[in-house]
Amino acid sequence: MKNSGFLQLQRDLLSQPQIAGMYAEEGATGLGLYVALNLYLSHCGGGWGTFTGKKLTAIAVEAHRHRGDVKRIIEDYDLFIVDAENNRFTSPWIQQQFNKCAAKKHQSCATPAHTYLMRAEEIDLEIEKKNKQKTCVCLDDTHSEFEILRAGKRYASHGQPLPIEAPPQRRRNDMYSYIRHDWVSAEEFDQQTEMIIYQQLLDNNAI
């Protein structure tokens, strides 16, 4: 990355295998998230960003998407490098452009605001690690790789809360129907009716 502040975007971007695979599944929304994530990384020290639930949620809110969408772009298409042990991530694109001069310049900008933000991210990392230790639940045959487990409760890949008796999520974009007690495609999901049923279950402490 040069001092001009530009990221170099290759004209054959959509011909690159990983990008092409992601674009085929996610479309323009996925491509936009990919670029947005790299723009975020371009402002991070050494091109390494914070990989915590709080940060992913913030990125998702700015992009008007679900946190699961952001997490999927980072983890599922070999477009990013995730250092799970230290809760951080980067991308080959950023690392190619983040030369030593740019990294040195970024690290020298120790303004009070920059120092505060760096400490805030360190605190977020510490909280995230503690939460993982408290809420970690091992997967078993009642849960699928798409689901999220928090504090013993099941959530679909897109964040939809699930009853404990729901069958495993079969496909990433499927929605759980409280009416059918099974998974359905997004096209089949009647959001208005499902929300009424879901609210009734909440009122009866059934979920």
Side-chain angles (χ1 to χ4, degrees):
M1 186 158 48
K2 297 182 179 179
N3 294 335
S4 62
F6 289 94
L7 292 180
Q8 296 179 354
L9 188 67
Q10 293 178 293
R11 294 174 62 186
D12 66 344
L13 183 70
L14 296 181
S15 300
Q16 298 174 18
Q18 288 96 336
I19 297 289
M22 181 273 294
Y23 191 53
E25 289 195 32
E26 306 286 347
T29 298
L31 184 62
L33 281 176
Y34 173 68
V35 174
L37 285 164
N38 278 284
L39 287 172
Y40 159 66
L41 293 174
S42 72
H43 294 283
C44 299
W48 286 89
T50 305
F51 190 68
T52 63
K54 185 175 180 180
K55 175 58 69 176
L56 296 184
T57 297
I59 294 171
V61 169
E62 291 177 359
H64 301 283
R65 304 301 302 171
H66 293 292
R67 185 174 74 178
D69 298 328
V70 177
K71 193 170 185 288
R72 185 171 66 253
I73 295 297
I74 294 174
E75 293 184 329
D76 287 10
Y77 298 102
D78 294 326
L79 296 173
F80 294 89
I81 302 164
V82 177
D83 179 2
E85 183 176 350
N86 295 301
N87 291 91
R88 61 180 192 158
F89 75 105
T90 187
S91 76
W93 181 20
I94 286 296
Q95 289 303 314
Q96 288 172 2
Q97 300 181 67
F98 221 100
N99 57 38
K100 293 181 180 180
C101 179
K104 183 177 180 180
K105 179 181 177 183
H106 184 91
Q107 292 168 2
S108 68
C109 296
T111 63
H114 177 76
T115 302
Y116 174 82
L117 290 173
M118 291 296 289
R119 179 55 188 154
E121 289 204 343
E122 288 176 4
I123 293 172
D124 285 346
L125 290 175
E126 292 171 4
I127 293 173
E128 189 81 5
K129 287 180 180 179
K130 289 179 181 178
N131 288 340
K132 281 184 177 179
Q133 293 173 355
K134 292 179 180 178
T135 64
C136 179
V137 179
C138 296
L139 294 177
D140 56 37
D141 57 1
T142 64
H143 311 105
S144 76
E145 60 180 326
F146 302 122
E147 295 177 38
I148 302 167
L149 297 176
R150 293 197 299 269
K153 295 184 178 180
R154 299 171 59 191
Y155 297 84
S157 60
H158 38 72
Q160 180 189 23
L162 303 173
I164 193 65
E165 70 273 8
Q169 184 177 4
R170 294 183 289 271
R171 293 175 300 186
R172 190 190 314 279
N173 295 322
D174 280 357
M175 305 289 292
Y176 180 76
S177 170
Y178 297 98
I179 299 171
R180 300 187 188 181
H181 303 291
D182 199 2
W183 295 91
V184 299
S185 66
E187 292 77 14
E188 298 175 280
F189 189 76
D190 183 346
Q191 184 170 350
Q192 185 174 0
T193 305
E194 292 287 350
M195 284 302 295
I196 294 173
I197 301 298
Y198 174 63
Q199 188 60 53
Q200 292 174 349
L201 291 172
L202 280 180
D203 294 341
N204 296 326
N205 294 319
I207 186 171

